[in-house]
Amino acid sequence: MTDKVTIQPKSKPEKTTISISGETSERLEIYCRANGILRKEFVSLALEYFERTGFDLKSNALDYSPLEKIIGELNEVKATMQTSNEGTEAIRQLLQAVREQTAKQLPAPELIAKAAEEKVRAEMRAEEQVKELQVLQEENDRLRNEIKVLQEYKEKAHRELCRVRDEQKTFGKIKVKTEFLSSTYKCNFLGADNKQ
């Protein structure tokens, strides 16, 4: 990654042109239309993403740090949801107590108001949890797709390594067999000379 302090733009032109192939231009146009952004916005957004994530396009190694960051964020969201669930459980128990008391006697107006407030809070928390769960599910799906791609890459690399290993074994067998036959032939040939 380059040092941001040492790289400074030469000057600040108002507008500039980036040259890309016709095929890339068509793909970019389709992508921008599908996502409702302008081509110039795409370049700015992509640059912001790479600067924010630190993703190095020149690196040949797979960089898992963005995934690790996302997993950390998911763990934080999970902990938040668990805390929210504990609060929801307390509210549920409170509502149950209110219902039981209501069944025994006429409720006081304060209890009705408090229960209504708690119910509204519980519904709001439930809506927030549904939204958070949906975000988590989308992130989970995206991560699963990335893991699937990485798994396919791993399997492809494993097959290639096995193929190379098998070729090396085959070459080794051919060499050993050739040397064995050559030495056997020499022994037979020399043995025939000794008998004469």
Side-chain angles (χ1 to χ4, degrees), residues 114-129:
K114 187 175 180 180
E117 290 175 3
E118 293 297 332
K119 182 180 178 185
V120 169
R121 285 190 206 128
E123 288 173 353
M124 289 173 43
R125 286 184 188 146
E127 289 175 6
E128 289 175 320
Q129 287 176 351

Side-chain angles (χ1 to χ4, degrees), residues 2 5 47 51 65 87 113 118 123 134 149 155 168 179:
T2 60
V5 175
L47 182 59
E51 287 175 342
S65 61
E118 293 297 332
E123 288 173 353
Q134 184 179 5
V149 168
E155 290 172 5
Q168 289 175 347
E179 290 175 1

Side-chain angles (χ1 to χ4, degrees), residues 29-108:
E29 186 66 32
I30 291 169
Y31 181 85
C32 288
R33 274 194 217 138
N35 291 289
I37 59 173
L38 300 174
R39 293 164 66 125
K40 65 182 180 181
E41 292 174 330
F42 174 83
V43 173
S44 298
L45 292 171
L47 182 59
E48 288 171 8
Y49 171 78
F50 292 131
E51 287 175 342
R52 186 176 67 246
T53 62
F55 185 78
D56 185 5
L57 293 173
K58 292 181 181 179
S59 175
N60 292 332
L62 292 175
D63 182 14
Y64 291 107
S65 61
L67 290 177
E68 292 168 351
K69 181 179 177 186
I70 290 169
I71 289 170
E73 290 171 0
L74 287 174
N75 287 335
E76 289 174 12
V77 170
K78 179 181 174 184
T80 302
M81 286 182 65
Q82 287 174 344
T83 303
S84 296
N85 285 341
E86 291 169 2
T88 304
E89 180 61 25
I91 292 170
R92 188 191 65 74
Q93 291 173 358
L94 178 63
L95 288 174
Q96 182 65 29
V98 169
R99 286 188 192 114
E100 291 172 2
Q101 185 177 2
T102 303
K104 292 178 184 175
Q105 62 184 12
L106 291 176

Side-chain angles (χ1 to χ4, degrees), residues 182-193:
S182 174
S183 64
T184 304
Y185 178 77
K186 285 179 184 176
C187 289
N188 288 341
F189 182 77
L190 291 174
D193 285 346

